[in-house]
């Protein structure tokens, strides 16, 4: 298997600047930054911390977008806020609902760019899969999103705004003064949508701190999972500065195969990646790391692959769960899904060794909302199968 997919780039993408003279969006600001901008626009320093706490609760606990509804603020102060600030989240362009209840949203962000967001309802949870970039630099050859070039990083407002948008659609904002309801339709966040979260670390971190803030959306860090293809230098920072659960897009057990499937492997190979994972649970106090493994017929699904995967995990003593993902095919994809029997045999080897090996149930594939299928509608021009195979290094001896 010859690796000829483009090597991951180091791309500095800058968020589009807000238009001059426009209102300042309070969504996505850290508490410290919100305090600064309030003071810069007339809020007395002695009141600023209290005002942040009040406004924060209205935005993130109650989902209020209109300053006039913030009834514990003086009317004159509300009018002052209205003149200078706004509470703005991404705009929903379209919503599709799968036969299994999965919802896929196409949302528009600054500059007219679009990203996709997926809500997956289950019996015991509701998971929102959010995006961190428009497009992706990683060019993973099995992933439809990876066929779309990177446009730019999302801002904290655009990342946390996806969560707020979904809560709007689910009508899940609580009513001030009503009895507290602990059941949540949106109970979990996974950073598994478009983009590589660790190539947009600071913005992802700030957005997730807002999601975890106890006076707002208030999701436990154990309800948030960040999925990375293996940006090794940022993995330790994730443990220290976010502390959420970690999932690794692993997908292969040899460097030769992973170089093709996940080209970032040519920068940080399997051994370097595993070394960085060994300390993660200790630093973040996470129970275990999830290894995501897409099942590709004849590529990475042999018994030998299963045994090698176990050897890797045991050698570095990593507490792990292996999440097996039947490949979700997309038009022009250069791979085929492994057979159900092959997936079950692979899972059984993992399970017999004492590791959880759930086979992910495909959700939303009828609306192209399944894992690896997300791609902005405006970027859906299909490459030919030949083009994709050539870029993926397929069909070469």
């Amino acid at each position: 298997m010859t690796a000829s997919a483009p090597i991951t780039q180091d791309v500095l993408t800058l968020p589009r600047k807000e238009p001059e003279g426009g209102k300042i969006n309070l969504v996505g600001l850290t508490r410290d930054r919100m305090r600064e901008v309030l003071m810069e626009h007339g809020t007395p320093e002695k009141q600023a911390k209290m005002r942040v706490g009040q406004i924060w609760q209205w935005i993130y606990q109650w989902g209020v977008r209109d300053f006039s509804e913030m009834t514990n603020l003086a009317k004159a102060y509300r009018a002052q806020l209205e003149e200078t600030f706004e509470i703005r989240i991404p705009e929903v362009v379209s919503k599709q609902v799968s036969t299994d209840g999965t919802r896929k949203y196409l949302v528009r962000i600054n500059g007219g760019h679009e990203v996709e967001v997926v809500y997956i309802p289950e019996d015991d949870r509701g998971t929102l899969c959010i995006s961190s970039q428009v497009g992706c630099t990683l060019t993973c050859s099995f992933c439809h999103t990876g066929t779309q070039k990177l446009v730019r990083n999302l801002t904290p407002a655009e990342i946390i705004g996806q969560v707020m948008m979904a809560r709007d659609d689910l009508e899940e904002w609580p009513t001030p003064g009503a009895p507290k309801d602990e059941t949540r339709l949106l109970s979990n966040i996974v950073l598994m949508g478009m983009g590589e979260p660790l190539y947009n670390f600071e913005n992802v971190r700030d957005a997730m701190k807002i999601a975890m803030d106890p006076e707002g959306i208030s999701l436990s860090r154990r309800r948030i999972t960040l999925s990375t293809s293996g940006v090794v230098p940022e993995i330790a920072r994730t443990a220290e500065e976010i502390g959420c659960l970690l999932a690794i897009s692993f997908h292969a057990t040899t460097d030769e195969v992973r170089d093709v499937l996940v080209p970032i492997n040519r920068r940080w190979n399997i051994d370097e990646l595993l070394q960085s994972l060994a300390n993660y649970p200790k630093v973040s106090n996470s129970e275990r790391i999830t290894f995501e493994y897409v099942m590709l017929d004849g590529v990475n699904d042999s018994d030998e692959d299963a045994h090698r995967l176990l050897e890797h995990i045991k050698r570095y003593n990593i507490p792990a769960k292996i999440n097996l993902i039947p490949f979700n095919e997309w038009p022009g994809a250069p791979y085929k899904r492994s057979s159900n029997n092959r997936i079950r045999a692979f899972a059984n080897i993992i399970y017999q060794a004492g590791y959880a090996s759930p086979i992910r149930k495909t959700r939303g594939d009828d609306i192209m909302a399944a894992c690896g299928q997300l791609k902005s509608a405006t970027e859906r021009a299909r490459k030919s199968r030949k083009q994709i195979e050539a870029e993926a290094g397929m069909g070469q001896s």
Side-chain angles (χ1 to χ4, degrees):
M1 198 171 190
T2 305
S4 65
I7 296 177
T8 305
Q9 316 152 47
D10 276 327
V11 179
L12 174 64
T13 67
L14 300 174
R16 182 175 181 269
K17 286 187 178 176
E18 297 286 346
E20 293 283 331
K23 290 186 176 182
I24 298 167
N25 189 13
L26 293 181
V27 175
L29 301 183
T30 62
R31 281 180 177 266
D32 286 345
R33 182 60 189 141
M34 190 184 291
R35 181 173 172 273
E36 287 171 9
V37 297
L38 290 178
M39 286 165 49
E40 286 166 10
H41 293 86
T43 301
E45 185 175 354
K46 286 184 179 177
Q47 294 180 15
K49 186 176 180 182
M50 177 183 71
R51 296 297 182 220
V52 168
Q54 291 170 317
I55 295 167
W56 192 276
Q57 280 191 300
W58 284 111
I59 295 174
Y60 297 117
Q61 188 170 336
W62 311 119
V64 167
R65 309 284 153 76
D66 188 338
F67 293 109
S68 67
E69 294 178 31
M70 299 183 179
T71 50
N72 59 350
L73 302 176
K75 275 191 178 178
Y77 187 60
R78 283 183 256 167
Q80 181 185 329
L81 292 172
E82 181 66 41
E83 283 180 18
T84 310
F85 302 106
E86 64 179 350
I87 300 164
R88 176 167 43 86
I89 66 170
E91 168 199 354
V92 178
V93 177
S94 66
K95 179 178 88 172
Q96 293 174 274
V97 182
S98 167
T99 53
D100 63 21
T102 297
R103 303 182 187 198
K104 182 172 77 168
Y105 309 93
L106 182 68
V107 300
R108 185 171 292 132
I109 58 174
N110 282 354
H113 302 305
E114 294 167 349
V115 294
E116 291 185 332
V117 187
V118 176
Y119 171 73
I120 305 162
E122 297 175 79
D123 291 340
D124 59 342
R125 71 182 69 190
T127 301
L128 190 71
C129 179
I130 64 176
S131 295
S132 56
Q133 296 179 313
V134 186
C136 191
T137 60
L138 293 184
T139 64
C140 297
S141 57
F142 60 88
C143 179
H144 197 207
T145 312
T147 66
Q148 176 180 336
K149 289 192 171 97
L150 178 72
V151 178
R152 70 168 174 84
N153 285 336
L154 270 60
T155 64
E158 292 162 346
I159 297 169
I160 196 64
Q162 295 171 59
V163 180
M164 298 167 73
M165 172 278 301
R167 293 197 87 189
D168 285 353
D169 187 57
L170 295 166
E171 299 181 347
E172 198 181 22
W173 295 106
T175 304
K180 195 170 183 185
D181 184 358
E182 295 295 342
T183 61
R184 290 205 177 194
L185 295 174
L186 198 170
S187 63
N188 293 65
I189 294 172
V190 293
L191 284 142
M192 295 183 187
M194 295 167 62
E196 165 54 66
L198 296 190
Y199 274 158
N200 188 16
F201 181 84
E202 285 83 5
N203 290 345
V204 165
R205 175 199 62 204
D206 290 352
M208 291 306 97
K209 287 198 167 185
I210 291 171
M212 293 185 282
D213 190 294
E215 291 180 16
I217 294 169
S218 190
L219 284 177
S220 155
R221 62 187 179 78
R222 289 175 182 255
R223 294 277 185 176
I224 297 171
T225 302
L226 184 150
S227 175
T228 177
S229 294
V231 184
V232 165
E234 305 294 358
I235 288 174
R237 284 186 75 194
T238 304
E240 292 160 8
E241 298 180 37
I242 305 176
C244 60
L245 301 184
L246 191 70
I248 298 296
S249 293
F250 204 67
H251 307 310
T253 61
T254 67
D255 284 324
E256 181 189 12
V257 175
R258 197 166 190 268
D259 282 351
V260 176
L261 297 183
V262 190
I264 198 175
N265 194 71
R266 281 185 269 166
R267 178 153 304 153
W268 298 290
N269 65 21
I270 287 175
D271 274 339
E272 289 174 283
L273 175 57
L274 291 169
Q275 284 169 17
S276 74
L277 298 179
N279 289 325
Y280 191 92
K282 302 184 193 80
V283 178
S284 68
N285 200 27
S286 302
E287 293 171 1
R288 58 189 174 179
I289 289 171
T290 299
F291 283 71
E292 297 168 316
Y293 199 93
V294 66
M295 300 296 292
L296 302 172
D297 182 36
V299 176
N300 64 352
D301 61 351
S302 68
D303 287 357
E304 290 75 20
D305 281 306
H307 289 297
R308 262 196 305 270
L309 180 57
L310 290 168
E311 286 168 17
H312 288 318
I313 292 167
K314 288 175 179 175
R315 185 164 77 252
Y316 287 93
N317 195 28
I318 299 169
K321 173 176 90 169
I322 293 85
N323 195 354
L324 301 179
I325 306 167
F327 176 56
N328 298 306
E329 295 186 25
W330 38 270
Y335 302 106
K336 294 287 183 192
R337 178 184 296 193
S338 303
S339 71
N340 290 339
N341 285 344
R342 181 88 298 269
I343 296 172
R344 281 194 291 266
F346 195 104
N348 192 51
I349 291 170
I350 305 292
Y351 177 75
Q352 293 295 333
Y355 294 89
S357 56
I359 300 168
R360 184 182 293 175
K361 185 181 176 187
T362 297
R363 300 292 300 269
D365 56 343
D366 58 325
I367 56 171
M368 288 286 285
C371 183
Q373 290 184 326
L374 300 189
K375 187 168 179 178
S376 299
T378 51
E379 302 284 346
R380 283 195 193 279
R382 310 293 191 199
K383 294 186 181 182
S384 70
R385 181 180 291 270
K386 208 169 187 180
Q387 264 181 299
I388 295 166
E389 287 180 353
E391 288 178 9
M394 303 291 291
Q396 299 180 22
S397 57

